[in-house]
Amino acid sequence: MSLPPAALPDAGCPPPLRARVERYTNQGGLIGAFTYALTVLETDDETLAAATASIPTNLFVTSSLHDDAIDESGDWNAADRKRRLNERITLGDLVFTNVVEAARSLPAYADLTPVLETVRQIGRGQLAEDHLEPSTATLEDAVARVDARGAVWGDLAVALVDAVADYSKTQCEMLRRLTRNGMFVLTVVDDVEDLPADVGNGVANVPRALYDGDLSTRESPAAVVDAFLGSDAPDRLEAILAERRTALGADARAFAATLDCPETDVLAAVRRALSWYCDTVCSVPVEATVPPERQRRVRAELVDDEASTRRTLASAIAELPLETGSLPVDLDAVIDTVVELPAAPLADVLSMVTHVATIADDVMSTSLADALDVLERRASTPQS
């Protein structure tokens, strides 16, 4: 691929804004890596996989920059509001040109009509949010908001994979359910962490809808947090997330059962996808989160003996986001399968998975416990 994801101009982008774009790229690139793995698994074409994966990555960055222009403009003083708006809107437009170039590079057989419709759905979800009144929004309304704004990013990834790879309709539907449930969990957990800001901005979300009362009447963000944590809303939210995680685990197992290829091919696809993310997308080098000595230790443990390999695999799985330990999967069975894979590529994957998990934890809360902990810290921090 000639253009890196979210390529930025050399001039005209202030360092703080550049750092924010890198953060958005790190986050959006996770969707891209998922797209890459599925594409390269079926096509064995790294160039095609990179181009396809760059589309959701860059669209996420564009959308996030435009969101910033909307959400933050009210806090800017009149003297620099126009400049800041121009920086974010224009930079978002420049990043979008990467999407156009990538789409133009796809094979002629790729039907992007469903992809374009999904992008329109993302825009419609953003517009519809402005018309959702928090004081009257039901839980069903709030869930629909997540599907319109969060889970639809998973739909975009699947639409792209469907356009370039030869998965069946049944497999694509499994993937849509899987990604919708995964994105739902991540989006709702992130909404928990953002609850005080969302209440202040009049945003209707699932945590707010679960609270029996009007959080907007609380006198401060800390009071909003105290009220939410003191209610039964967190327990009710955990029940909803547990249901989604159960569905996510079931769909993941169902999709895996449809793959007519050896486990070594799946490992190779994951390795290539993670390499794309770590080498060309992520602004943080792997060595910053997984030092070389730790990488060497992982390699040694995987060739030592089976007991050592199993301990290393269990530790890596425990570090994954999405509260993997709470998923209804037989981890021993997973390890039984993975333990037989070649040690060298498996070691690379484990190191990169640890890196990706660290990046994910840095850019968003990936578990309800983490998000609630953030809220508790905010409630105990004096407000200036």
Side-chain angles (χ1 to χ4, degrees):
M1 182 181 176
S2 58
L3 269 178
L8 299 177
D10 294 332
C13 182
L17 184 55
R18 180 178 290 272
R20 182 174 292 199
V21 172
E22 289 177 350
R23 181 175 182 272
Y24 290 150
T25 307
N26 293 345
Q27 189 172 357
L30 299 174
I31 307 172
F34 175 80
T35 309
Y36 189 111
L38 288 168
T39 302
V40 81
L41 176 63
E42 200 281 323
T43 67
D44 196 31
D45 187 333
E46 291 188 345
T47 301
L48 175 61
T52 305
S54 73
I55 292 176
T57 302
N58 284 299
L59 278 172
F60 183 87
V61 176
T62 296
S63 178
S64 297
L65 285 168
H66 289 172
D67 278 352
D68 285 351
I70 297 168
D71 296 339
E72 300 178 9
S73 59
D75 298 328
W76 300 329
N77 60 55
D80 61 3
R81 181 177 293 116
K82 181 177 179 181
R83 174 182 59 81
R84 292 192 178 198
L85 280 171
N86 179 64
E87 287 172 349
R88 285 152 180 76
I89 296 297
T90 303
L91 188 55
D93 291 345
L94 286 171
V95 173
F96 184 74
T97 64
N98 297 342
V99 176
V100 177
E101 289 208 24
R104 191 170 58 186
S105 74
L106 296 181
Y109 65 77
D111 180 9
L112 295 182
T113 303
V115 176
L116 293 173
E117 179 53 36
T118 306
V119 175
R120 291 189 186 99
Q121 187 178 348
I122 292 173
R124 286 195 294 266
Q126 290 171 325
L127 288 173
E129 180 174 310
D130 291 335
H131 300 284
L132 188 58
E133 172 54 47
S135 63
T136 58
T138 65
L139 178 59
E140 290 73 19
D141 294 332
V143 168
R145 169 189 174 269
V146 176
D147 285 333
R149 289 214 58 188
V152 73
W153 287 98
D155 290 350
L156 175 63
V158 177
L160 283 160
V161 170
D162 193 22
V164 299
D166 193 26
Y167 290 103
S168 69
K169 291 183 178 179
T170 299
Q171 287 176 309
C172 287
E173 184 54 36
M174 290 177 181
L175 288 171
R176 287 188 186 93
R177 291 196 303 267
L178 187 155
T179 57
R180 277 187 164 256
N181 285 317
M183 292 300 296
F184 180 92
V185 171
L186 289 174
T187 302
V188 171
V189 165
D190 191 55
D191 283 345
V192 171
E193 185 175 332
D194 293 339
L195 183 61
D198 284 347
V199 170
N201 292 328
V203 176
N205 58 32
V206 173
R208 187 173 182 178
L210 286 170
Y211 179 78
D212 186 16
D214 187 359
L215 288 171
S216 66
T217 62
R218 300 291 170 170
E219 63 276 12
S220 68
V224 168
V225 172
D226 285 337
F228 180 79
L229 293 177
S231 71
D232 67 347
D235 291 337
R236 294 166 64 194
L237 182 57
E238 171 54 33
I240 292 175
L241 295 178
E243 183 178 349
R244 290 282 185 148
R245 288 193 296 265
T246 297
L248 171 63
D251 286 327
R253 292 193 299 273
F255 177 75
T258 69
L259 295 177
D260 186 20
C261 62
E263 286 83 2
T264 51
D265 287 357
V266 177
L267 176 66
V270 172
R271 184 189 192 188
R272 292 157 91 176
L274 291 174
S275 296
W276 171 83
Y277 176 82
C278 294
D279 296 341
T280 69
V281 179
C282 187
S283 61
V284 181
V286 175
E287 292 74 17
T289 63
V290 190
E293 59 270 20
R294 182 177 178 183
Q295 296 183 41
R296 288 192 292 271
R297 186 170 67 251
V298 168
R299 293 190 189 96
E301 290 170 348
L302 291 180
V303 297
D304 188 4
D305 55 45
E306 182 174 335
S308 174
T309 299
R310 296 182 76 88
R311 285 195 301 270
T312 302
L313 291 172
S315 176
I317 291 172
E319 291 180 344
L320 290 174
L322 264 181
E323 296 185 289
T324 309
S326 65
L327 289 176
V329 296
D330 185 343
L331 294 184
D332 287 335
V334 172
I335 292 175
D336 286 342
T337 300
V338 178
V339 75
E340 300 297 332
L341 294 173
L346 183 57
D348 289 343
V349 166
L350 291 183
S351 292
M352 288 187 287
V353 163
T354 300
H355 176 66
V356 169
T358 303
I359 296 301
D361 285 335
D362 285 344
V363 298
M364 67 186 120
S365 290
T366 56
S367 74
L368 180 58
D370 288 344
L372 292 174
D373 183 59
V374 170
L375 281 183
E376 287 184 289
R377 291 200 304 271
R378 288 178 177 172
S380 61
T381 301
Q383 299 297 307
S384 59

